[in-house]
């Protein structure tokens, strides 16, 4: 039986990708940010997940305004790394897990989530930056990845509660997959940031820190946050945090916190990171 | 379509909802076209000529030529689409953000290193109007 | 205030489009089928709807396997008529109602239906054949159209109950639109037919006739029909009938039947057609 | 992926579920390409050469060349995609359906005019096996 062993939350800023790809992770500006992921890379080396179910958002890369799916699941065998305007990041292509992805798609649609099923899509920094943060710079990613794209660009975006309930449906799907697989679910994006307008640069550290804590043991508060509160308190792009709730919904009510990291700034963004072991047995 | 939204009173922020998405459709699709190197070259060679191929308003075209990102936002541009413009110019998100806040990139970087813009005083339009 | 005044159900076979476009509606084969729509065209002339919310499915035209949305709503100003392999049908282009479409999209997403929002798409016979049946061959369609595409091609497809509940959400959205508009909702596709395999040509007249009756006053039975029953009883393509349930969900519990027509065959398909006036005041 | 489905016991019917969609991806995308006139011309000029441009199995290619629709269905083809092949050939859905049922188009048309194939005796595979 496939089982979700852990949930990972992490921001996914493009500048982080650039810092890695241009070998600046030890520069003064970046070092404190990357230091917080050292534990995580070592932990992944011992965890050796078979599959990462990776919740992210497309940033006007695979999806133009012609076609905006609220939720899209990738069921392909592989995914090319997108050219976001500077050429593709120099990272390995992403291998999918079509069997599990199709199983999840089928199960979750039958649980009344109206997914778009995607056989071909290029993946942008939203997906590749978390892989780099957690796995470093291997020749080949050490596991398969199921990309799950959430619309957080064009309003209305799905509510935090909808996302959390979707996480529960994904959990049910993974639990019912017959192959023995170590599956992690990652929720990416956030934390507070605003990239646009005269209010750009907004960072709300107390709000972010409360969010990190409540991800562990008070998710009920988080699922009730309406979109306007994310915008007001965490900046217009802080809404990405609803994707963390998909991850949280897929875990047990009780989880064990293995690691937490918070750093300001990375470019315009507050970096938040959590590793939650599924269940309360440590 | 013009019912007020609960986020309308957030200052200095344009939420990309359907009101904006409709206004900005052609502007954003133009931006998307800059993901192809050959289009970037043509755009860079002659902004105006390239823009004239798109069903954009004159205001939108002028805002692009002026690299006036706040104006583009007000005309329906979405920041992830607009990013294709400043990426074509070889400029960073941080630089673009600084131009939108009306300060130098240096001053903006300093603000970010000091922990970013505080939410205090920046939650409601009424707070900005007082000042 | 916008109001849904009526629901229309009708099959949408490509051969019907060809019969219209090549002037064969009075041929022996076709006449009885088309006669059943004479009432409907006259009725539309007096109803003069402002907008038709048209539920249909794309038949591998706008959506390839690269990208299959469970539910997609068109929010564009206009839609081109698709070339399905013989050149586009010689019918007018379709004008959208972007204001109402966006309003519905926003409302329905906030009611936890995970729509894909589409700004550009060509529309195939699934959409244009019903327009021809109901409006004849005008220079210009007499009303605006909001295309709503449902995946009934790649399993799992949305359940009948999910479709019915979606209809209720659409109703709520239309009821809350401030402009005064006469809106009809059409559910298309069906009735029994199977286009593939050694069992092709299946038609289940008693089943279809019971479905037509229960659309009027026993929809509770219909929403409980599982997908495998559609396949077994109404042929593999009979599953299209779940789209009728979206239409039915958007109407009052009580409706007044204005017209019913049933004819076998049109090419491989049993043709069913209903006009339901919203509410039980005739 | 191989759990049984409640529709697996329907005779003479291939439900296009994820098991089939995976098998048939390239076959169906090939079909989709026939919506463009220039591709139709190239395909008609040389079936084999055109098919060799696609990542299809040899069985799939041969089934296309043979216009064996039941075979294509069993190899993951979906009928709405396969329709692009017989449309390119200038043939109708009714003709294609008749070839899948193994009778002449005339006999098929006659069956349809008489009310179509009855569901009686055609609901379960077990009913077909008896005969
Ligand atoms: Fe992001
Ligand atoms: Fe159809």
């Amino acid at each position: 039986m496939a089982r979700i062993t852990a949930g990972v939350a992490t921001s996914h800023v493009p500048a982080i990708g650039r810092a890695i790809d241009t070998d600046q992770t030890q520069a003064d500006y970046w070092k404190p940010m990357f230091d917080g992921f050292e534990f995580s890379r070592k932990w992944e080396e011992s965890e050796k997940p078979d599959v990462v179910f990776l919740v992210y958002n497309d940033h006007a890369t695979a999806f133009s305004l012609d076609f905006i799916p609220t939720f899209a699941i990738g069921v392909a065998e592989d995914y090319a790394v997108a050219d976001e305007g500077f050429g593709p990041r120099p990272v390995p292509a992403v291998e999918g897990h079509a069997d599990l992805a199709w199983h999840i798609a089928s199960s979750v649609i039958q649980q009344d989530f109206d997914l778009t099923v995607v056989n071909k899509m290029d993946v942008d920094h939203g997906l590749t930056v978390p892989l780099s943060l957690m796995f470093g710079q291997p020749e080949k990613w050490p596991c398969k990845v199921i990309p799950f794209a959430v619309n957080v660009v064009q309003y209305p975006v799905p509510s935090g509660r909808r996302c959390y309930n979707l996480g529960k449906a994904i959990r049910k799907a993974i639990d019912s997959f017959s192959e023995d697989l170590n599956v992690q679910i990652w929720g990416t994006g956030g934390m507070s940031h605003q990239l646009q307008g005269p209010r750009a640069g907004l960072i709300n550290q107390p709000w972010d820190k409360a969010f990190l804590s409540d991800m562990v043991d008070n998710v009920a508060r988080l699922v009730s946050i309406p979109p306007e509160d994310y915008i007001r308190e965490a900046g217009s792009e802080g809404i990405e945090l609803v994707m963390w709730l998909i991850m949280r919904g897929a875990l047990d009510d009780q989880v064990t916190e293995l690691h937490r990291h918070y750093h300001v700034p990375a470019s315009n963004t507050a970096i938040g990171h959590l590793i939650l072991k599924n269940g309360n047995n440590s | 379509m013009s019912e007020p939204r609960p986020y309308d009173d957030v200052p200095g922020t344009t939420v990309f909802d359907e009101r904006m998405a409709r206004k900005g459709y052609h502007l954003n699709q133009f931006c998307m076209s800059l993901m192809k190197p050959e289009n970037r070259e043509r755009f860079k060679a002659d902004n105006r000529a390239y823009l004239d191929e798109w069903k954009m308003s004159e205001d939108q075209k002028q805002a692009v030529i002026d690299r006036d990102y706040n104006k583009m936002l007000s005309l329906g541009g979405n920041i992830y689409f607009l990013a294709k413009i400043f990426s074509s110019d070889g400029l960073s998100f941080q630089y673009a953000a600084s131009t939108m806040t009306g300060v130098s990139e240096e001053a903006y970087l300093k603000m970010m290193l000091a922990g970013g813009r505080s939410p205090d005083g920046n939650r409601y339009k009424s707070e900005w109007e007082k000042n």
Side-chain angles (χ1 to χ4, degrees), chain A, chain B:
Chain A
M1 292 280 285
R3 65 226 125 78
I4 296 188
T5 54
V8 172
T10 173
S11 308
H12 63 206
V13 178
I16 296 177
R18 218 132 45 229
I20 295 171
D21 301 339
T22 58
D23 218 16
Q24 288 167 49
T25 61
Q26 298 307 304
D28 288 350
Y29 183 89
W30 287 111
K31 190 169 184 312
M33 203 284 303
F34 283 102
D35 281 351
F37 287 87
E38 250 180 59
F39 171 90
S40 315
R41 281 194 303 279
K42 279 190 198 119
W43 173 77
E44 285 292 14
E45 273 167 37
S46 63
E47 284 292 308
K48 297 196 199 331
D50 298 301
V51 187
V52 168
F53 188 93
L54 206 160
V55 182
Y56 75 111
N57 65 295
D58 181 77
H59 301 80
T61 304
F63 307 133
S64 77
L65 288 186
D66 282 342
F67 219 88
I68 306 248
T70 295
F71 296 127
I73 185 165
V75 297
E77 307 283 352
D78 39 57
Y79 305 90
V81 175
D83 179 348
E84 296 180 61
F86 302 105
R89 286 192 61 208
V91 295
V94 173
E95 216 183 311
H97 195 300
D99 277 346
L100 180 58
W102 269 113
H103 173 83
I104 295 170
S106 299
S107 167
V108 166
I109 290 170
Q110 287 177 85
Q111 292 177 70
D112 286 351
F113 290 84
D114 315 310
L115 307 186
T116 289
V117 178
V118 177
N119 252 302
K120 197 172 177 176
M121 118 180 121
D122 290 357
V123 289
D124 73 12
H125 72 270
L127 185 132
T128 63
V129 164
L131 288 174
S132 296
L133 283 169
M134 297 300 291
F135 294 131
Q137 298 177 283
E139 291 271 301
K140 183 175 174 306
W141 298 120
C143 66
K144 298 186 173 183
V145 175
I146 298 174
F148 191 92
V150 178
N151 167 41
V152 291
V153 169
Q154 179 177 276
Y155 280 70
V157 303
S159 71
R161 189 173 305 278
R162 182 72 178 159
C163 288
Y164 182 72
N165 290 333
L166 168 62
K168 292 195 174 297
I170 291 165
R171 168 64 180 274
K172 203 169 155 185
I174 292 174
D175 279 354
S176 67
F177 189 68
S178 55
E179 204 179 320
D180 182 42
L181 290 173
N182 175 356
V183 182
Q184 292 182 1
I185 181 165
W186 297 5
T188 73
M191 302 193 82
S192 59
H193 62 309
Q194 173 152 343
L195 301 175
Q196 50 114 348
R199 205 175 73 134
L202 187 115
I203 299 282
N204 192 337
Q205 303 202 23
W207 197 91
D208 285 346
K209 286 173 182 167
F211 199 99
L212 283 165
S213 287
D214 289 347
M215 277 290 288
V216 182
D217 53 17
N218 187 17
V219 71
R221 180 181 76 85
L222 303 183
V223 301
S224 303
I225 299 175
E228 60 269 22
D229 283 16
Y230 284 97
I231 298 167
R232 196 184 309 284
E233 296 293 336
S236 49
E237 279 62 59
I239 190 73
E240 291 184 341
L241 285 166
V242 295
M243 295 186 288
W244 292 27
L245 298 179
I246 296 177
M247 175 271 271
R248 190 60 184 87
L251 301 181
D252 291 351
D253 290 347
Q254 304 262 9
V255 295
T256 307
E257 178 178 345
L258 296 185
H259 183 58
R260 186 188 304 203
H261 175 47
Y262 185 71
H263 176 79
V264 174
S267 183
N268 305 280
T269 303
I271 301 305
H273 174 40
L274 274 177
I275 301 180
L276 303 175
K277 192 176 153 71
N278 206 8
N280 62 353
N281 49 326
S282 57
Chain B
M1 298 311 293
S2 45
E3 316 111 55
R5 310 297 159 88
Y7 43 75
D8 282 346
D9 60 353
V10 178
T13 303
T14 308
V15 176
F16 191 67
D17 60 18
E18 76 279 14
R19 298 172 298 185
M20 304 316 290
R22 288 189 62 183
K23 247 196 237 184
Y25 177 64
H26 294 289
L27 167 57
N28 290 313
Q29 295 301 89
F30 143 73
C31 292
M32 205 73 190
S33 77
L34 299 179
M35 290 183 75
K36 293 207 172 114
E38 58 274 25
N39 290 338
R40 284 200 289 275
E41 287 319 310
R42 288 177 48 231
F43 173 62
K44 281 193 217 169
D46 187 342
N47 276 211
R48 165 60 68 179
Y50 188 77
L51 287 163
D52 282 342
E53 296 171 18
W54 295 84
K55 268 168 63 182
M56 293 161 59
S57 71
E58 182 50 38
D59 276 4
Q60 288 175 329
K61 292 178 192 175
Q62 196 56 53
V64 172
I65 290 168
D66 297 342
R67 301 297 191 270
D68 184 342
Y69 288 100
N70 282 329
K71 189 78 190 256
M72 290 185 242
L73 289 169
S74 76
L75 298 172
N78 170 275
I79 189 62
Y80 292 119
F81 289 83
L82 300 180
K84 319 301 180 200
I85 303 175
F86 58 75
S87 295
S88 293
D89 291 339
L91 298 168
S92 71
F93 250 112
Q94 192 161 278
Y95 171 78
S98 73
T99 76
M100 290 183 259
T101 61
V103 302
S104 69
E105 188 175 5
E106 206 189 343
Y108 184 86
L109 176 62
K110 213 168 146 187
M111 173 182 81
M112 292 315 296
L113 282 170
R117 184 186 309 281
S118 167
D120 296 337
N122 293 314
R123 289 186 175 89
Y124 295 94
K125 280 185 176 161
S126 58
E127 296 175 303
W128 281 29
E129 280 149 16
K130 265 185 243 151
N131 304 338

